[in-house]
Amino acid sequence: QVQLVESGGGLVQPGGSLRLSCAASGATLDYYAIGWFRQAPGKEREGVSCIAIRYGITYYADSVKGRFTVSRDNAKNTVYLQMNSMKPEDTGVYYCAARQELFRLCDLSQSRYPYWGQGTQVTVSS
């Protein structure tokens, strides 16, 4: 049973950067896929990015492509989301989620991720 804890959220100005961390415990993330999702108040939760840990295969939503980068540090059993050139519409609670993945698959289908962290707030504002 894997547990996930997000950290690194906060307040940033438009154009600024933040790095979120998703630290896992209870299982080694090899053969897992990790997804990043976000939810703004009053809006549906949406997929942001994902990574298949063993193979490093990544995917990005069009809204963040070219600005965000997902990566992993296997020694720390941690996944990161580097967010650059941030926009006000990036504001929301960011969640990481995990599923067991034996193949090189990574997607943003929320129903396929059974394990979720508690979320961390990101606010982009002047």
Side-chain angles (χ1 to χ4, degrees), residues 76-96:
K76 296 183 180 295
N77 214 33
T78 297
V79 172
Y80 303 97
L81 183 67
Q82 178 67 47
M83 305 185 292
N84 298 325
S85 302
M86 298 189 72
K87 305 174 181 179
E89 51 262 46
D90 294 323
T91 293
V93 177
Y94 282 68
Y95 301 88
C96 65

Side-chain angles (χ1 to χ4, degrees), residues 20-81:
L20 305 183
S21 298
C22 176
S25 61
T28 300
L29 290 181
D30 202 21
Y31 296 112
Y32 276 75
I34 299 293
W36 285 98
F37 304 85
R38 67 188 182 189
Q39 186 170 28
K43 296 186 177 181
E44 296 293 320
R45 189 167 59 195
E46 63 178 349
V48 176
S49 183
C50 62
I51 181 168
I53 297 296
R54 181 167 178 82
Y55 303 100
I57 302 297
T58 60
Y59 177 79
Y60 299 90
D62 288 342
S63 60
V64 306
K65 194 172 299 181
R67 300 188 297 119
F68 291 10
T69 303
V70 65
S71 62
R72 86 281 201 195
D73 186 335
N74 291 343
K76 296 183 180 295
N77 214 33
T78 297
V79 172
Y80 303 97
L81 183 67

